[in-house]
Amino acid sequence: MSGSLVAFACGVILLYTFPVVPPLKWLIVALLSVLYGAFALRSRRFYTVALFLAWLLAGLIWSSWHASERLQHTLPPELEGQEVDVSGYLCEIPTEGSFNSLRFSFCVTQWHLPEGFTEKGAMFPRKIRLAWYGRDGQSLPGHRLRLKVSLKQPHGAINPTGFRYETWLYRKGFRGTGTIREVDFDDSVPCNLHCDYMVWRQQLADGVNAAMGEARHYPLVSSLLIGYRGEMAPDQWDVLKATGTIHLVAISGLHIGLIALGAGFVVRRLLLWLQGSFPSPRHGRYLVYVSVALASIAYSLAAGFTVPTRRALVMVLVAGWVVIHGRQVSPWQGLMLALFLVLLADPFSPLDQGFWLSFGAVTVLVLVFSRRLSSPGWGGALMLAQVAVFAGLWPVLAVLGQGQPVSGLLANVFAIPWVSVVVMPVLMIGAALIWLLPQSQAWVLDCYDLVLGVLWSVLEWLSCLDLPDSNPGVATTLGVAVVAILALIVPSLRIRLVVTIVMVSWLLVSLLVERDDNPWVETPEVWVWDVGQGLSLLVRHQDQVLLYDTGPSIPGVFSAVESVLIPNLSDLGVGTINTLVISHGDSDHAGGLPLLFATLPVSELIVGEPGRTAERSGEGGPVPELCRPELVRYIGELTVGFWRDPEATTASDSNDTSCVVTVTSSDGAIQIVLPGDISKQVEFRMPDQPLLSDWASEDAFRIVLAPHHGSKTSSSLSWVEWLHPDLVIYSAGYRHRFGHPHPSVVERYRVVGSLQLNTAYSGAIRLVIDKKGLGVEQQRQSAPFWIRRPVTDWWAL
């Protein structure tokens, strides 16, 4: 039976490797064919194979059906940007967002379509993600609402690696996002069971806030008690991320397991106190299990019944089932059953990193502890579990593009027992005391601050230590994991000691020896990163790297350096940025500089606006050098030229101080111009420059990154005709309020015959310069099925 459960799980997971969703009718035909062959041939060997294939196809059908249904419910393109009225109820507790906004999920029960909308058969989103700006301190008038909203289809930046917002939206079921224009209470909205649950949860959160909001560590209290993390500040998230302890504030197996242990302990003691013939030992075990299950379900509901909470609940219930059956059920059977139930209940689970980390951790623990003949003791078990999980999850994190902080091992060795033995019991007992005896509120909150203060002080101290955070690659981390687990399960103490010494020595060398060289790249390539409304571009050849601008950065919201550049540069193996060019000081071009300087060595910094760039970079990085025509750099065999309008000043227009960069191939056949945000006034003066005039007059394939993201203040007709680019690329946000690129600019480039690409519709764009010419790759072309494909006629939308 375990093989069938594994086959079903493999089928569900297999879907997410496909570029498209397979047609359900053909999958059903394949399943029926396999079943017919199994019964017709009557071969035992073929029957076993056919049974595995049948369960595999069943899992694939199950996930494909859910995926097809979710993809069908999407916002029609005709409604993007229009104001539409929707009625429904809040799907989650609203949270404060950036720019004094309020953000929440909204379950739509009715769409009030505008007059003239004629698309028949459209399946509208049932769940949308909304933000309310400009509310001037107003609160939502109720739980059931009628909203006037401006929506767009799910969309996010698409780069080779890094966080993909579009995947997150698909996984959560959001088939539209937008902003709110008007808010009204609507008592005509029917409130179903889910609506009633969300009302109760909002009341629970309000009650917890009223009773415990004065606690100094209230964000941690609300996160651990009811799973509401909306009060967590960005600096708190930074500490948790640096110490690998984010899982502590995500209601997961640790928290539900503690509730289960507590409930089981209380009920078992009660049964021992009753003694006698009733209940019998067998009935007593089942009574304990039922009590544990009810307590775990109740806590999961209080914690929001989120995806990780539901996954943890299933695993805890299955673990309890394995325990009450003793040796009749193997831990591996329980693990396979839990995997099957999680994917059956939620076939979108493989899109969660938490899914892989949770089952990876449990697999490692089962592998290590199920083979031990004697108990290692409480302290030994804790250390054994931490070392096993640290090593076992390292290759999983490497595949997910994340490093494994050494501070995480130290932090979890302290934090997990402290939270388990001290924090959670104090929180639960304190909450019960406040409910039963309100007069105890003051000293209960003091106890909360005491135990959480100890936890937070240790985590803050560990986060400030300069410990390595390394991702040496999947193969290396997999080798370390295998060696470490073997060292933990091999019965010979001598072999364990030798293997451990070798592993620790190799680990220290791999973590402490920093590689700052770049891999050798035979063919020149240019990456125009998808950073939304901003700009960042990478040029590399041989072992030289040039980075032009770092994209936008909005504190507490988004940083292109953190979300795009660092993960993608790491994926490319870049260890040093030889030349960093910051065109000018605007936040959408020079964001995140302190983080970039702290993460990667930068050999040279060339800027168009020294003053503002210095303000954004802080004390890190090399001394900036002013962009000027005399500068010439070589990235491999590529020649890089620089120019800055000598008449431009920050006082007049900082955009005009942009450092203009030209990149030319060794044979002069391909030329690239990166003009920053220059305006028409600077464009008029460019043809008068001898160097640029000669460069632009050559007969070559010319690529232009549209100045100022395609704004109407740039790309004048004379400049476009002078350059006559073969390819123009816009780096702009999807349906951004600035409206880049402007239709008049698109028309000018169209008239001269330029091919036009937009990162908003293409994702990251890779240009490969080889002997055959120029190769162009759009990241959305190779994206999975739930990511929208490149749009060739995007300017007509």
CSV table of all heavy atoms in Angstrom, one decimal, residues 245-292:
chain,number,residue,atom,x,y,z
A,245,THR,N,15.1,31.0,12.1
A,245,THR,CA,14.0,30.6,13.1
A,245,THR,C,12.7,31.2,12.7
A,245,THR,O,11.8,31.4,13.5
A,245,THR,CB,14.4,31.2,14.5
A,245,THR,OG1,14.7,32.6,14.4
A,245,THR,CG2,15.6,30.5,15.0
A,246,ILE,N,12.5,31.4,11.4
A,246,ILE,CA,11.2,31.9,10.9
A,246,ILE,C,10.1,30.9,11.3
A,246,ILE,O,8.9,31.2,11.5
A,246,ILE,CB,11.2,32.2,9.4
A,246,ILE,CG1,12.0,33.5,9.2
A,246,ILE,CG2,9.8,32.4,8.9
A,246,ILE,CD1,12.1,33.9,7.7
A,247,HIS,N,10.5,29.6,11.3
A,247,HIS,CA,9.5,28.6,11.5
A,247,HIS,C,8.9,28.7,12.9
A,247,HIS,O,7.8,28.1,13.2
A,247,HIS,CB,10.1,27.2,11.4
A,247,HIS,CG,11.2,26.9,12.4
A,247,HIS,ND1,11.0,26.3,13.6
A,247,HIS,CD2,12.6,27.2,12.3
A,247,HIS,CE1,12.1,26.2,14.2
A,247,HIS,NE2,13.1,26.7,13.5
A,248,LEU,N,9.5,29.4,13.8
A,248,LEU,CA,9.0,29.5,15.2
A,248,LEU,C,7.7,30.4,15.2
A,248,LEU,O,6.9,30.1,16.1
A,248,LEU,CB,10.1,30.2,16.1
A,248,LEU,CG,11.3,29.4,16.4
A,248,LEU,CD1,12.3,30.2,17.3
A,248,LEU,CD2,11.0,28.1,17.1
A,249,VAL,N,7.6,31.3,14.3
A,249,VAL,CA,6.4,32.1,14.3
A,249,VAL,C,5.4,31.7,13.2
A,249,VAL,O,4.4,32.4,12.9
A,249,VAL,CB,6.7,33.6,14.1
A,249,VAL,CG1,7.5,34.1,15.3
A,249,VAL,CG2,7.5,33.9,12.8
A,250,ALA,N,5.6,30.6,12.5
A,250,ALA,CA,4.7,30.0,11.6
A,250,ALA,C,4.1,28.8,12.2
A,250,ALA,O,4.9,27.8,12.5
A,250,ALA,CB,5.4,29.7,10.2
A,251,ILE,N,2.8,28.8,12.6
A,251,ILE,CA,2.2,27.7,13.3
A,251,ILE,C,2.4,26.4,12.5
A,251,ILE,O,1.9,26.2,11.4
A,251,ILE,CB,0.7,27.9,13.5
A,251,ILE,CG1,0.6,29.2,14.3
A,251,ILE,CG2,0.1,26.8,14.3
A,251,ILE,CD1,1.3,29.3,15.6
A,252,SER,N,3.3,25.5,13.0
A,252,SER,CA,3.7,24.3,12.3
A,252,SER,C,3.7,23.1,13.2
A,252,SER,O,3.0,23.1,14.3
A,252,SER,CB,5.1,24.5,11.7
A,252,SER,OG,6.0,24.8,12.7
A,253,GLY,N,4.4,22.1,12.8
A,253,GLY,CA,4.4,20.9,13.5
A,253,GLY,C,4.9,21.0,15.0
A,253,GLY,O,4.5,20.4,15.9
A,254,LEU,N,5.9,22.0,15.2
A,254,LEU,CA,6.4,22.2,16.5
A,254,LEU,C,5.3,22.7,17.5
A,254,LEU,O,5.1,22.1,18.6
A,254,LEU,CB,7.5,23.3,16.4
A,254,LEU,CG,8.0,23.8,17.8
A,254,LEU,CD1,8.7,22.7,18.5
A,254,LEU,CD2,9.0,25.0,17.6
A,255,HIS,N,4.5,23.6,17.0
A,255,HIS,CA,3.5,24.2,17.9
A,255,HIS,C,2.3,23.2,18.1
A,255,HIS,O,1.9,23.0,19.2
A,255,HIS,CB,2.9,25.5,17.3
A,255,HIS,CG,4.0,26.5,16.9
A,255,HIS,ND1,4.7,26.3,15.8
A,255,HIS,CD2,4.5,27.6,17.5
A,255,HIS,CE1,5.6,27.3,15.7
A,255,HIS,NE2,5.5,28.1,16.8
A,256,ILE,N,1.8,22.7,17.0
A,256,ILE,CA,0.7,21.7,17.1
A,256,ILE,C,1.2,20.5,17.9
A,256,ILE,O,0.4,19.9,18.7
A,256,ILE,CB,0.1,21.4,15.8
A,256,ILE,CG1,-0.4,22.7,15.1
A,256,ILE,CG2,-1.0,20.3,15.9
A,256,ILE,CD1,-1.0,22.5,13.7
A,257,GLY,N,2.4,20.1,17.7
A,257,GLY,CA,2.9,18.9,18.4
A,257,GLY,C,3.0,19.2,19.9
A,257,GLY,O,2.7,18.3,20.7
A,258,LEU,N,3.3,20.4,20.3
A,258,LEU,CA,3.4,20.7,21.7
A,258,LEU,C,2.0,20.7,22.3
A,258,LEU,O,1.7,20.2,23.4
A,258,LEU,CB,4.0,22.1,21.9
A,258,LEU,CG,5.5,22.2,21.6
A,258,LEU,CD1,5.9,23.7,21.7
A,258,LEU,CD2,6.3,21.4,22.6
A,259,ILE,N,1.0,21.2,21.5
A,259,ILE,CA,-0.4,21.2,22.0
A,259,ILE,C,-0.9,19.7,22.1
A,259,ILE,O,-1.5,19.4,23.1
A,259,ILE,CB,-1.3,22.0,21.0
A,259,ILE,CG1,-0.9,23.4,21.0
A,259,ILE,CG2,-2.8,21.8,21.4
A,259,ILE,CD1,-1.1,24.2,22.3
A,260,ALA,N,-0.5,18.9,21.2
A,260,ALA,CA,-0.9,17.5,21.2
A,260,ALA,C,-0.2,16.8,22.4
A,260,ALA,O,-0.9,16.0,23.1
A,260,ALA,CB,-0.4,16.8,19.9
A,261,LEU,N,1.0,17.1,22.7
A,261,LEU,CA,1.7,16.5,23.8
A,261,LEU,C,1.1,16.9,25.1
A,261,LEU,O,0.9,16.1,26.1
A,261,LEU,CB,3.2,16.8,23.8
A,261,LEU,CG,4.1,16.1,22.8
A,261,LEU,CD1,5.5,16.7,22.8
A,261,LEU,CD2,4.1,14.6,23.0
A,262,GLY,N,0.7,18.2,25.2
A,262,GLY,CA,0.1,18.7,26.4
A,262,GLY,C,-1.2,18.1,26.7
A,262,GLY,O,-1.6,17.7,27.8
A,263,ALA,N,-2.1,18.0,25.6
A,263,ALA,CA,-3.4,17.4,25.7
A,263,ALA,C,-3.3,15.9,26.1
A,263,ALA,O,-4.0,15.4,27.0
A,263,ALA,CB,-4.2,17.6,24.4
A,264,GLY,N,-2.3,15.2,25.4
A,264,GLY,CA,-2.2,13.8,25.7
A,264,GLY,C,-1.7,13.6,27.2
A,264,GLY,O,-2.2,12.7,27.9
A,265,PHE,N,-0.8,14.5,27.7
A,265,PHE,CA,-0.3,14.3,29.0
A,265,PHE,C,-1.4,14.5,30.0
A,265,PHE,O,-1.6,13.7,31.0
A,265,PHE,CB,0.8,15.3,29.3
A,265,PHE,CG,1.3,15.4,30.7
A,265,PHE,CD1,2.2,14.4,31.1
A,265,PHE,CD2,0.9,16.3,31.6
A,265,PHE,CE1,2.7,14.5,32.4
A,265,PHE,CE2,1.3,16.4,32.9
A,265,PHE,CZ,2.3,15.4,33.3
A,266,VAL,N,-2.3,15.6,29.8
A,266,VAL,CA,-3.4,15.8,30.8
A,266,VAL,C,-4.4,14.7,30.8
A,266,VAL,O,-4.8,14.2,31.9
A,266,VAL,CB,-4.0,17.2,30.4
A,266,VAL,CG1,-5.3,17.4,31.2
A,266,VAL,CG2,-3.1,18.3,30.6
A,267,VAL,N,-4.8,14.3,29.6
A,267,VAL,CA,-5.8,13.2,29.6
A,267,VAL,C,-5.3,11.9,30.1
A,267,VAL,O,-6.0,11.2,30.8
A,267,VAL,CB,-6.3,13.0,28.1
A,267,VAL,CG1,-7.3,11.8,28.0
A,267,VAL,CG2,-7.0,14.3,27.6
A,268,ARG,N,-4.0,11.6,29.8
A,268,ARG,CA,-3.5,10.3,30.3
A,268,ARG,C,-3.4,10.4,31.9
A,268,ARG,O,-3.7,9.4,32.5
A,268,ARG,CB,-2.1,10.1,29.7
A,268,ARG,CG,-1.5,8.8,30.0
A,268,ARG,CD,-0.2,8.6,29.3
A,268,ARG,NE,0.4,7.2,29.6
A,268,ARG,CZ,1.6,6.8,29.2
A,268,ARG,NH1,2.3,7.6,28.4
A,268,ARG,NH2,2.0,5.6,29.5
A,269,ARG,N,-3.0,11.5,32.4
A,269,ARG,CA,-2.9,11.6,33.9
A,269,ARG,C,-4.3,11.5,34.5
A,269,ARG,O,-4.5,10.9,35.6
A,269,ARG,CB,-2.3,13.0,34.3
A,269,ARG,CG,-0.8,13.1,34.0
A,269,ARG,CD,0.0,12.1,34.9
A,269,ARG,NE,1.4,12.0,34.6
A,269,ARG,CZ,2.2,11.2,35.1
A,269,ARG,NH1,1.8,10.3,36.0
A,269,ARG,NH2,3.5,11.2,34.7
A,270,LEU,N,-5.3,12.1,33.8
A,270,LEU,CA,-6.7,12.0,34.3
A,270,LEU,C,-7.1,10.5,34.3
A,270,LEU,O,-7.8,10.1,35.3
A,270,LEU,CB,-7.6,12.8,33.4
A,270,LEU,CG,-9.0,12.9,33.8
A,270,LEU,CD1,-9.2,13.5,35.2
A,270,LEU,CD2,-9.8,13.7,32.8
A,271,LEU,N,-6.8,9.8,33.3
A,271,LEU,CA,-7.1,8.4,33.2
A,271,LEU,C,-6.4,7.6,34.3
A,271,LEU,O,-7.0,6.7,34.9
A,271,LEU,CB,-6.8,7.8,31.8
A,271,LEU,CG,-7.6,8.3,30.7
A,271,LEU,CD1,-7.2,7.7,29.3
A,271,LEU,CD2,-9.1,8.0,30.9
A,272,LEU,N,-5.2,7.9,34.6
A,272,LEU,CA,-4.4,7.2,35.6
A,272,LEU,C,-5.1,7.5,37.0
A,272,LEU,O,-5.1,6.7,37.9
A,272,LEU,CB,-3.0,7.6,35.6
A,272,LEU,CG,-2.1,7.1,34.4
A,272,LEU,CD1,-0.7,7.6,34.5
A,272,LEU,CD2,-2.1,5.5,34.4
A,273,TRP,N,-5.5,8.7,37.1
A,273,TRP,CA,-6.2,9.1,38.4
A,273,TRP,C,-7.5,8.4,38.6
A,273,TRP,O,-7.8,7.9,39.7
A,273,TRP,CB,-6.4,10.6,38.4
A,273,TRP,CG,-7.0,11.1,39.7
A,273,TRP,CD1,-6.5,11.2,40.9
A,273,TRP,CD2,-8.4,11.6,39.8
A,273,TRP,NE1,-7.4,11.7,41.8
A,273,TRP,CE2,-8.6,12.0,41.1
A,273,TRP,CE3,-9.4,11.8,38.8
A,273,TRP,CZ2,-9.8,12.5,41.6
A,273,TRP,CZ3,-10.6,12.3,39.3
A,273,TRP,CH2,-10.8,12.6,40.6
A,274,LEU,N,-8.2,8.2,37.5
A,274,LEU,CA,-9.5,7.5,37.6
A,274,LEU,C,-9.3,6.0,37.9
A,274,LEU,O,-9.9,5.4,38.8
A,274,LEU,CB,-10.3,7.6,36.3
A,274,LEU,CG,-10.9,9.0,36.0
A,274,LEU,CD1,-11.5,9.0,34.6
A,274,LEU,CD2,-11.9,9.4,37.1
A,275,GLN,N,-8.3,5.3,37.2
A,275,GLN,CA,-8.0,3.9,37.4
A,275,GLN,C,-9.2,3.1,37.3
A,275,GLN,O,-10.3,3.5,37.0
A,275,GLN,CB,-7.2,3.7,38.7
A,275,GLN,CG,-5.8,4.4,38.7
A,275,GLN,CD,-5.0,4.1,39.9
A,275,GLN,OE1,-5.5,3.5,40.9
A,275,GLN,NE2,-3.8,4.4,39.9
A,276,GLY,N,-9.1,1.8,37.6
A,276,GLY,CA,-10.2,0.9,37.6
A,276,GLY,C,-10.4,0.2,36.2
A,276,GLY,O,-9.6,0.3,35.3
A,277,SER,N,-11.5,-0.4,36.0
A,277,SER,CA,-11.8,-1.2,34.8
A,277,SER,C,-12.2,-0.3,33.7
A,277,SER,O,-12.3,-0.8,32.5
A,277,SER,CB,-12.8,-2.3,35.1
A,277,SER,OG,-14.0,-1.7,35.5
A,278,PHE,N,-12.7,0.9,33.9
A,278,PHE,CA,-13.1,1.7,32.8
A,278,PHE,C,-12.3,3.0,32.8
A,278,PHE,O,-12.2,3.7,33.9
A,278,PHE,CB,-14.6,2.1,33.0
A,278,PHE,CG,-15.1,3.0,31.9
A,278,PHE,CD1,-15.6,2.4,30.7
A,278,PHE,CD2,-15.2,4.3,32.1
A,278,PHE,CE1,-16.0,3.2,29.7
A,278,PHE,CE2,-15.6,5.2,31.1
A,278,PHE,CZ,-16.1,4.6,29.9
A,279,PRO,N,-11.8,3.4,31.7
A,279,PRO,CA,-11.8,2.6,30.5
A,279,PRO,C,-10.7,1.6,30.4
A,279,PRO,O,-9.8,1.7,31.2
A,279,PRO,CB,-11.6,3.7,29.4
A,279,PRO,CG,-10.7,4.7,30.1
A,279,PRO,CD,-11.2,4.7,31.5
A,280,SER,N,-10.8,0.6,29.5
A,280,SER,CA,-9.8,-0.4,29.4
A,280,SER,C,-8.5,0.3,28.8
A,280,SER,O,-8.6,1.3,28.2
A,280,SER,CB,-10.3,-1.5,28.4
A,280,SER,OG,-10.5,-1.0,27.1
A,281,PRO,N,-7.4,-0.4,28.9
A,281,PRO,CA,-6.2,0.2,28.3
A,281,PRO,C,-6.3,0.5,26.8
A,281,PRO,O,-5.8,1.6,26.4
A,281,PRO,CB,-5.1,-0.8,28.6
A,281,PRO,CG,-5.6,-1.6,29.8
A,281,PRO,CD,-7.1,-1.6,29.7
A,282,ARG,N,-6.9,-0.4,26.1
A,282,ARG,CA,-7.1,-0.1,24.7
A,282,ARG,C,-8.0,1.1,24.4
A,282,ARG,O,-7.7,1.9,23.6
A,282,ARG,CB,-7.7,-1.4,24.0
A,282,ARG,CG,-7.9,-1.3,22.5
A,282,ARG,CD,-8.2,-2.6,21.9
A,282,ARG,NE,-8.5,-2.5,20.5
A,282,ARG,CZ,-9.7,-2.3,20.0
A,282,ARG,NH1,-10.7,-2.2,20.8
A,282,ARG,NH2,-9.9,-2.2,18.7
A,283,HIS,N,-9.1,1.1,25.1
A,283,HIS,CA,-10.0,2.3,25.0
A,283,HIS,C,-9.4,3.5,25.5
A,283,HIS,O,-9.6,4.6,24.9
A,283,HIS,CB,-11.3,2.0,25.7
A,283,HIS,CG,-12.2,0.9,25.1
A,283,HIS,ND1,-13.2,0.3,25.8
A,283,HIS,CD2,-12.2,0.4,23.9
A,283,HIS,CE1,-13.7,-0.6,25.0
A,283,HIS,NE2,-13.2,-0.5,23.8
A,284,GLY,N,-8.5,3.4,26.5
A,284,GLY,CA,-7.8,4.6,27.0
A,284,GLY,C,-6.9,5.2,26.0
A,284,GLY,O,-6.8,6.4,25.9
A,285,ARG,N,-6.2,4.3,25.2
A,285,ARG,CA,-5.3,4.9,24.2
A,285,ARG,C,-6.1,5.6,23.1
A,285,ARG,O,-5.7,6.7,22.7
A,285,ARG,CB,-4.5,3.7,23.5
A,285,ARG,CG,-3.5,3.1,24.4
A,285,ARG,CD,-2.5,2.3,23.6
A,285,ARG,NE,-3.2,1.2,22.9
A,285,ARG,CZ,-3.3,0.0,23.5
A,285,ARG,NH1,-2.8,-0.3,24.7
A,285,ARG,NH2,-3.9,-1.0,22.8
A,286,TYR,N,-7.3,5.1,22.7
A,286,TYR,CA,-8.1,5.8,21.7
A,286,TYR,C,-8.7,7.1,22.3
A,286,TYR,O,-8.8,8.1,21.6
A,286,TYR,CB,-9.2,4.9,21.2
A,286,TYR,CG,-8.7,3.8,20.2
A,286,TYR,CD1,-8.5,2.5,20.6
A,286,TYR,CD2,-8.5,4.2,18.9
A,286,TYR,CE1,-8.0,1.6,19.7
A,286,TYR,CE2,-8.0,3.3,18.0
A,286,TYR,CZ,-7.8,2.0,18.4
A,286,TYR,OH,-7.3,1.1,17.5
A,287,LEU,N,-9.0,7.1,23.6
A,287,LEU,CA,-9.5,8.3,24.2
A,287,LEU,C,-8.5,9.4,24.2
A,287,LEU,O,-8.8,10.5,24.0
A,287,LEU,CB,-10.0,8.0,25.6
A,287,LEU,CG,-10.7,9.1,26.4
A,287,LEU,CD1,-11.9,9.7,25.6
A,287,LEU,CD2,-11.1,8.7,27.8
A,288,VAL,N,-7.2,9.0,24.5
A,288,VAL,CA,-6.1,10.0,24.5
A,288,VAL,C,-5.9,10.5,23.1
A,288,VAL,O,-5.8,11.7,22.9
A,288,VAL,CB,-4.8,9.3,25.0
A,288,VAL,CG1,-3.6,10.2,24.8
A,288,VAL,CG2,-5.0,9.0,26.5
A,289,TYR,N,-6.0,9.6,22.1
A,289,TYR,CA,-5.8,10.0,20.7
A,289,TYR,C,-6.9,11.0,20.3
A,289,TYR,O,-6.6,12.0,19.6
A,289,TYR,CB,-5.8,8.8,19.8
A,289,TYR,CG,-5.7,9.2,18.3
A,289,TYR,CD1,-4.5,9.7,17.8
A,289,TYR,CD2,-6.8,9.0,17.5
A,289,TYR,CE1,-4.4,10.0,16.5
A,289,TYR,CE2,-6.6,9.4,16.1
A,289,TYR,CZ,-5.4,9.9,15.6
A,289,TYR,OH,-5.3,10.2,14.3
A,290,VAL,N,-8.2,10.7,20.6
A,290,VAL,CA,-9.3,11.6,20.3
A,290,VAL,C,-9.1,12.9,20.9
A,290,VAL,O,-9.3,14.0,20.3
A,290,VAL,CB,-10.6,10.9,20.6
A,290,VAL,CG1,-11.8,11.9,20.5
A,290,VAL,CG2,-10.9,9.7,19.8
A,291,SER,N,-8.7,12.9,22.2
A,291,SER,CA,-8.5,14.2,22.9
A,291,SER,C,-7.3,15.0,22.2
A,291,SER,O,-7.5,16.2,22.1
A,291,SER,CB,-8.1,13.9,24.4
A,291,SER,OG,-9.1,13.1,25.0
A,292,VAL,N,-6.3,14.3,21.9
A,292,VAL,CA,-5.2,15.0,21.2
A,292,VAL,C,-5.6,15.5,19.8
A,292,VAL,O,-5.3,16.7,19.5
A,292,VAL,CB,-4.0,14.0,21.0
A,292,VAL,CG1,-3.0,14.5,20.0
A,292,VAL,CG2,-3.3,13.7,22.3
